[in-house]
Every structure is written in structure tokens, then in C-alpha cells.
Amino acid sequence: MKSWEQRERAQVTLSKEVGYVKKPHGSRLRVALAFPNTYWFGMSNLGFQTIYRLFNAEDDIVCERFFLPPKQELAEMSAAKTPLVTLESQTPVSDFDVVAFSISFEWDYVNVLTLLRLAGIPGYAAERSPRHPLIVVGGAVTFVNPEPLAPFADVIAAGEGEVLVPGLRRSVAAATSRENLLHLLAAERGFYIPSLYEPRYADDGTLAGYTVRAGIDAPLPVRKAALKVTDAVDPPATSIFTPDTRVRFTLPRGSRARLRQPVPLLLGRLQLPAGAGVSGRSHSPSSPARHGAHSSRVGLVSIALCDHPEIDRILGNLLEMGYAISPASLRLDDLTESIVQVLKAAASGRLRSRRKPDPIACAA
């Protein structure tokens, strides 16, 4: 695949989208944000969409997206050694100041290396120099175990995007060199700099812990960045609309919620589609999601969907707006008669639902 073909495909993709951000680069911090899987998976991911919005909310940052090419394109680009470019401006990824990965699944680890190779960036952090982009890894997997990605990342970000993005911006603005930047980031909550630490292993080869490298001033342990008051932000929702993906938003837990399973951590929160949301939130009546203008499907994400005090109104409004609804999970013992009546619409194809077993309930 030639460079002009890649640019042309990017422009066709943008022509189908509503809500993307395009800024002149100028003196702004340039961030290339990657989802290490195909466009469909990346644009259906709330964390990816949220961190894109948070970066571009900063006036002195320009953030553009790139994804893993489909198989045929991937083979053609590898054979032709065509540089990987971003969607918004079709700029080579290697020209950016920061390349950030939003990773939700462990099976995408190998795709991180594929994207770095396509961009012409060395895979191992030790092989890169200050002339290369700063490689930042974030996403849900960093909360579980960031160590498999440590050899390849300059920075691993763990926590809420609302805290991490300003921390990155402050550190970049104050840094005098790449080495100084890494030390400044280490002082910010939520940033793990693998090169500043030395892993320790037990006799059986398992990881026993970490020590800070000699002569280095870095925190131990590294603590995730967290919002102090989550009520001040809206739940995550789709902000870039495209007919190729599903509109999704997250419902907060209701007051009856029971702590039966771990609460998933997401990088940021956005608004609900207009007309379908929770009282007390502000919603724009001109929301592109209204009446299915850019998608006929809505995904509801919550660990206790039926516990939400306004779930009946939300489901009813979404159906009236013409959406097919796909709840991420439902607990049978939490279903009410009114919710069941809405679920019966599945027979006419108006509602799609998946029942997800509760491992704790099944074990009880």
C-alpha cells in the first residue's frame, strides 16, 4: 500500500464520522493515540474515546488517532514499508511527540509491537533515543499487571484520564530533556517509569517485588491516579459517531447497588445521549446521537444496570428514539416486570440483550 492510498482511506473514514477533533499542530504537544486493534473495536471502546476527548480538551495539545490496519492492508504496508499515519491529518506517527496506547485486552499486546514496527519506532524502550516519540501505555490492563509491557514502554499510565492528562501536560511543559521528563512524570501520581526501577525475582523465578535504581528518586509503590470526587463528572459515552460502530454510554450504579463484583476502572467519563440520560446531568438537545442519526445501536455498560433508579425511563426513551439496545450484562434476580416488558421487544428485533452469568452468584 502506497502513502497516497493510506491518506485517501483516512479521508474516507473521516468523511463518515461526526465529532472528531482536528487542530493545527503549530507549537502544540502532538499526541498520536493508538488502539492496538482494528478501527471497529477501537471506536467502540469508551476508554479510547474518552482519553481522545480529554487530550483534545487541552488547548496546547493536539491528539490524533491510529489503529491496527485490517489484515490485507497490514500485509501490504509491511511489504511496502509504508509509514503509518494518523487519521486526522495523515501525519506519520513517528513525527509525533508522544505515542500513547489505550489497551483494554491482554491479547492486543503483540499488536502494540506491530504498530511500533509499522511506524518505524524501535520496540524496546532501551533501543529508543530522545529523537523518538515518548511511548506511553495506558488503559484497563495497566490496573491489572503492567509488567509485560514494561520493556516496551517509556511510561505506563495507571488511573483516571482526568488526572493523568494534566499531569503529562505539566511535565512536558517543564521538562528540559527526555531524562528530566521521565523524572518529572515519576513525581506525578499514576505514572510508572519502568527504567527507574529494578525488578526482584524469587528463587523459583516469580516476581518478588521492585526496588528503585541506585541514585534515583522515585516513589515506591507507584499509586494510580484517581479523581477525588467522581460525582463531578459525567459517565463515559461515545463522543465520535460513525455508522461503523455502536453508540455506548455508562450508567453509574444506583443507591441500591451491592458490591458483588469489582468496579471496572475507566479512563474518564462523558455525557449520555440527549433525551435518554439521568436527571441532574446536562445534555445538549443537538447531540449527534439523537434519533439514531449516526448509529442504530446503543450499548449500555454498567456493573449493576437494573439498580439504576431511572433505568425504566432510560430504556423507554432509547426505544422511542429508535435504538436497538444491548445491555452489557443483566442479573436475573434484579429484573423487574417493567424491564422484562422492554426485553420482550427482542422478539421483534428492537432489542438485543446478552445475559452474563455472575460468577459470585453462581458459586453461592
Side-chain angles (χ1 to χ4, degrees):
M1 175 181 286
K2 297 181 180 179
S3 296
W4 68 267
E5 292 177 298
Q6 195 180 173
R7 290 195 296 270
E8 189 174 78
R9 292 196 183 189
Q11 291 165 3
V12 169
T13 298
L14 288 177
S15 70
K16 299 177 182 179
E17 292 186 348
V18 171
Y20 69 87
V21 178
K22 191 171 183 179
K23 298 179 183 179
H25 288 197
S27 60
R28 291 182 168 95
L29 175 67
R30 299 169 300 166
V31 178
L33 177 64
F35 190 87
N37 210 307
T38 59
Y39 176 86
W40 191 93
F41 288 102
M43 291 306 297
S44 296
N45 185 276
L46 288 177
F48 179 78
Q49 289 226 18
T50 299
I51 201 67
Y52 173 82
R53 172 188 170 275
L54 291 172
F55 271 127
N56 279 313
E58 301 286 345
D59 184 63
D60 52 356
I61 296 177
V62 53
C63 179
E64 301 183 359
R65 297 162 291 154
F66 68 104
F67 304 88
L68 184 74
K71 286 185 178 180
Q72 184 174 347
E73 288 186 31
L74 180 60
E76 293 173 356
M77 292 177 65
S78 297
K81 300 186 184 304
T82 305
L84 195 62
V85 300
T86 58
L87 271 183
E88 283 77 359
S89 68
Q90 298 90 58
T91 301
V93 171
S94 59
D95 288 352
F96 281 73
D97 304 307
V98 176
V99 173
F101 289 90
S102 178
I103 309 174
S104 296
F105 310 106
E106 292 177 331
W107 52 78
D108 285 337
Y109 285 172
V110 67
N111 295 336
V112 173
L113 302 182
T114 299
L115 288 173
L116 289 174
R117 175 173 53 81
L118 288 176
I121 301 171
Y124 284 101
E127 296 175 350
R128 295 193 289 267
S129 69
R131 69 180 181 85
H132 293 112
L134 183 77
I135 306 301
V136 180
V137 170
V141 296
T142 62
F143 299 118
V144 181
N145 180 17
E147 203 54 33
L149 294 166
F152 315 107
D154 298 313
V155 180
I156 293 178
E160 301 287 353
E162 291 91 344
V163 180
L164 293 168
V165 169
L168 176 64
R169 180 180 54 80
R170 283 193 300 269
S171 297
V172 170
T176 57
S177 65
R178 174 62 62 85
E179 182 180 0
N180 179 240
L181 172 59
L182 294 178
H183 283 82
L184 289 174
L185 285 170
E188 294 275 354
R189 184 159 182 156
F191 291 101
Y192 165 44
I193 316 299
S195 61
L196 304 184
Y197 299 86
E198 187 74 42
R200 291 185 292 103
Y201 297 95
D203 294 338
D204 60 359
T206 59
L207 184 66
Y210 299 87
T211 56
V212 179
R213 293 186 183 275
I216 299 295
D217 182 19
L220 189 67
V222 177
R223 302 189 183 278
K224 68 180 178 67
L227 289 167
K228 293 182 179 179
V229 182
T230 57
D231 290 342
V233 292
D234 287 308
T238 298
S239 58
I240 302 176
F241 301 93
T242 165
D244 298 323
T245 58
R246 177 178 300 171
V247 176
R248 304 182 75 196
F249 60 91
T250 299
L251 297 179
R253 296 173 66 102
S255 59
R256 296 191 302 110
R258 298 172 291 278
L259 292 175
R260 293 168 173 156
Q261 52 186 315
V263 178
L265 299 172
L266 299 173
L267 290 178
R269 296 169 175 79
L270 294 176
Q271 290 185 343
L272 308 179
V278 185
S279 61
R281 303 291 191 190
S282 60
H283 309 289
S284 169
S286 61
S287 168
R290 190 169 180 81
H291 302 301
H294 300 281
S295 178
S296 61
R297 299 166 294 168
V298 165
L300 301 178
V301 182
S302 176
I303 59 176
L305 185 66
C306 297
D307 281 349
H308 195 283
E310 297 187 55
I311 187 59
D312 293 323
R313 183 173 70 87
I314 292 171
L315 290 176
N317 287 353
L318 287 172
L319 284 175
E320 289 178 6
M321 292 163 69
Y323 285 110
I325 305 172
S326 177
S329 63
L330 293 170
R331 289 182 54 90
L332 294 180
D333 58 343
D334 284 341
L335 292 175
T336 64
E337 182 177 352
S338 58
I339 293 176
V340 170
Q341 292 301 319
V342 176
L343 294 177
K344 286 183 178 180
S348 63
R350 293 168 59 201
L351 178 69
R352 302 166 190 157
S353 66
R354 290 189 294 120
R355 183 174 62 84
K356 181 179 178 182
D358 187 327
I360 298 180
C362 292

